[in-house]
Coordinates of all heavy atoms in Angstrom, one line a residue:
Chain U
R37 N 22.3 23.1 -29.5 CA 23.5 23.8 -29.2 C 24.5 22.8 -28.7 O 24.2 21.9 -27.9 CB 23.2 24.9 -28.1 CG 24.4 25.7 -27.7 CD 23.9 26.9 -26.9 NE 23.0 26.6 -25.7 CZ 22.5 27.4 -24.9 NH1 22.7 28.7 -25.1 NH2 21.7 27.0 -23.9
L46 N 19.3 19.8 -27.0 CA 18.2 20.3 -27.7 C 17.7 21.6 -27.0 O 17.6 21.7 -25.8 CB 17.0 19.3 -27.7 CG 15.7 19.7 -28.4 CD1 16.0 19.9 -29.9 CD2 14.6 18.7 -28.1
M47 N 17.6 22.6 -27.9 CA 17.1 23.9 -27.4 C 15.6 24.0 -27.5 O 14.9 24.5 -26.6 CB 17.8 25.1 -28.1 CG 19.3 25.1 -28.0 SD 20.0 26.4 -29.0 CE 19.4 27.9 -28.2
A48 N 15.1 23.7 -28.7 CA 13.7 23.9 -29.0 C 13.3 23.1 -30.2 O 14.1 22.7 -31.0 CB 13.4 25.4 -29.3
A56 N 7.2 27.7 -31.2 CA 8.2 26.7 -30.9 C 8.0 26.2 -29.5 O 7.5 26.9 -28.6 CB 9.6 27.3 -31.1
T57 N 8.5 25.0 -29.3 CA 8.5 24.4 -27.9 C 9.9 24.4 -27.4 O 10.8 23.8 -28.0 CB 7.9 23.0 -28.0 OG1 6.6 23.0 -28.5 CG2 7.9 22.4 -26.5
Y58 N 10.1 25.1 -26.3 CA 11.5 25.3 -25.8 C 11.7 24.3 -24.7 O 10.8 23.9 -23.9 CB 11.7 26.7 -25.2 CG 11.7 27.7 -26.3 CD1 10.6 28.3 -26.9 CD2 12.9 28.2 -26.8 CE1 10.6 29.2 -27.9 CE2 13.0 29.2 -27.8 CZ 11.8 29.7 -28.3 OH 11.9 30.6 -29.3
E59 N 13.0 23.8 -24.6 CA 13.4 22.9 -23.5 C 13.6 23.7 -22.2 O 13.8 24.9 -22.2 CB 14.7 22.2 -23.9 CG 14.5 21.2 -25.1 CD 13.5 20.1 -24.8 OE1 13.7 19.3 -23.9 OE2 12.5 20.0 -25.6
Q60 N 13.5 23.0 -21.2 CA 13.6 23.6 -19.9 C 15.0 24.3 -19.8 O 16.0 23.7 -20.1 CB 13.5 22.6 -18.8 CG 13.3 23.1 -17.4 CD 13.0 22.0 -16.3 OE1 13.0 20.9 -16.6 NE2 12.6 22.5 -15.2
G61 N 15.0 25.5 -19.3 CA 16.2 26.3 -19.1 C 16.6 27.1 -20.3 O 17.6 27.9 -20.2
V62 N 15.9 27.0 -21.4 CA 16.2 27.8 -22.6 C 15.3 29.0 -22.6 O 14.1 28.9 -22.6 CB 16.1 27.0 -23.9 CG1 16.3 27.8 -25.1 CG2 17.0 25.8 -23.8
E63 N 15.9 30.2 -22.7 CA 15.1 31.4 -22.7 C 14.4 31.7 -24.0 O 15.1 32.0 -25.0 CB 15.9 32.6 -22.3 CG 16.6 32.5 -20.9 CD 17.6 33.6 -20.7 OE1 17.1 34.8 -20.7 OE2 18.8 33.3 -20.5
K64 N 13.1 31.6 -24.1 CA 12.5 31.8 -25.4 C 12.6 33.3 -25.9 O 12.5 33.5 -27.1 CB 11.0 31.4 -25.3 CG 10.2 32.2 -24.3 CD 8.7 31.7 -24.3 CE 7.9 32.5 -23.3 NZ 6.5 32.0 -23.3
D65 N 12.7 34.2 -25.0 CA 12.8 35.6 -25.4 C 14.2 35.9 -25.9 O 14.5 36.9 -26.5 CB 12.5 36.5 -24.3 CG 11.0 36.4 -23.9 OD1 10.2 36.1 -24.8 OD2 10.7 36.6 -22.7
K66 N 15.2 35.1 -25.6 CA 16.5 35.3 -26.0 C 16.8 34.5 -27.3 O 17.5 35.0 -28.2 CB 17.5 34.8 -24.9 CG 19.0 35.0 -25.4 CD 19.9 34.8 -24.2 CE 21.3 35.0 -24.7 NZ 21.6 36.4 -25.1
F67 N 16.3 33.4 -27.4 CA 16.4 32.5 -28.6 C 15.1 32.5 -29.4 O 14.3 31.6 -29.1 CB 16.9 31.2 -28.2 CG 18.3 31.2 -27.5 CD1 18.3 31.1 -26.1 CD2 19.4 31.3 -28.2 CE1 19.5 31.1 -25.5 CE2 20.7 31.3 -27.6 CZ 20.7 31.2 -26.2
L68 N 14.9 33.4 -30.3 CA 13.7 33.5 -31.0 C 13.7 32.6 -32.2 O 14.6 32.6 -33.0 CB 13.5 34.9 -31.5 CG 13.5 36.0 -30.4 CD1 13.3 37.4 -31.0 CD2 12.4 35.7 -29.4
I69 N 12.6 31.8 -32.3 CA 12.5 30.8 -33.4 C 11.3 31.1 -34.2 O 10.2 31.3 -33.7 CB 12.5 29.4 -32.9 CG1 13.8 29.0 -32.3 CG2 12.1 28.4 -34.0 CD1 13.9 27.7 -31.5
L79 N 16.6 30.9 -36.3 CA 17.0 31.0 -34.9 C 17.7 32.4 -34.7 O 18.7 32.6 -35.4 CB 17.9 29.9 -34.4 CG 18.5 30.1 -33.0 CD1 17.5 30.1 -31.9 CD2 19.6 29.0 -32.7
T80 N 17.1 33.3 -33.9 CA 17.7 34.6 -33.7 C 18.2 34.6 -32.2 O 17.4 34.4 -31.3 CB 16.8 35.7 -33.9 OG1 16.3 35.7 -35.3 CG2 17.5 37.1 -33.7
V81 N 19.5 34.8 -32.1 CA 20.1 35.0 -30.7 C 20.1 36.4 -30.5 O 20.8 37.2 -31.1 CB 21.5 34.4 -30.7 CG1 22.1 34.5 -29.3 CG2 21.5 32.9 -31.1
T82 N 19.3 36.9 -29.6 CA 19.1 38.3 -29.3 C 20.1 38.7 -28.2 O 20.4 38.0 -27.3 CB 17.7 38.7 -28.9 OG1 17.4 38.0 -27.7 CG2 16.7 38.2 -30.0
S83 N 20.6 39.9 -28.3 CA 21.5 40.5 -27.3 C 22.6 39.4 -26.9 O 22.6 39.0 -25.7 CB 20.7 41.0 -26.1 OG 21.6 41.6 -25.2
A84 N 23.3 39.0 -27.9 CA 24.3 37.9 -27.7 C 25.4 38.3 -26.7 O 25.8 39.5 -26.7 CB 24.8 37.4 -29.0
H85 N 25.8 37.4 -25.9 CA 26.9 37.6 -25.0 C 27.9 36.5 -25.2 O 27.6 35.4 -25.8 CB 26.4 37.6 -23.5 CG 25.5 38.8 -23.3 ND1 26.1 40.1 -23.1 CD2 24.2 39.0 -23.2 CE1 25.1 40.9 -22.9 NE2 24.0 40.3 -22.9
E87 N 29.0 34.1 -23.5 CA 28.6 32.8 -23.1 C 27.6 32.1 -24.1 O 27.3 30.9 -23.9 CB 27.9 32.8 -21.7 CG 26.7 33.7 -21.6 CD 27.1 35.1 -21.0 OE1 28.2 35.6 -21.3 OE2 26.2 35.7 -20.4
D88 N 27.1 32.9 -25.0 CA 26.3 32.3 -26.1 C 27.1 31.7 -27.2 O 26.6 31.1 -28.1 CB 25.3 33.3 -26.7 CG 24.4 33.9 -25.6 OD1 23.9 33.1 -24.8 OD2 24.1 35.1 -25.7
Y92 N 25.8 25.9 -33.2 CA 24.4 25.7 -33.3 C 24.1 24.9 -34.5 O 24.5 25.1 -35.6 CB 23.7 27.1 -33.4 CG 23.8 27.9 -32.1 CD1 24.9 28.7 -31.9 CD2 22.8 27.8 -31.1 CE1 25.0 29.4 -30.7 CE2 22.9 28.6 -30.0 CZ 24.0 29.4 -29.7 OH 24.1 30.1 -28.6

Side-chain angles (χ1 to χ4, degrees):
Chain U
R37 180 167 52 182
L46 180 66
M47 300 175 66
T57 302
Y58 290 82
E59 295 298 299
Q60 193 170 10
V62 178
E63 300 173 58
K64 62 180 181 181
D65 294 331
K66 180 170 180 63
F67 299 99
L68 302 179
I69 291 173
L79 168 68
T80 301
V81 183
T82 63
S83 187
H85 291 285
E87 58 265 30
D88 298 322
Y92 291 85

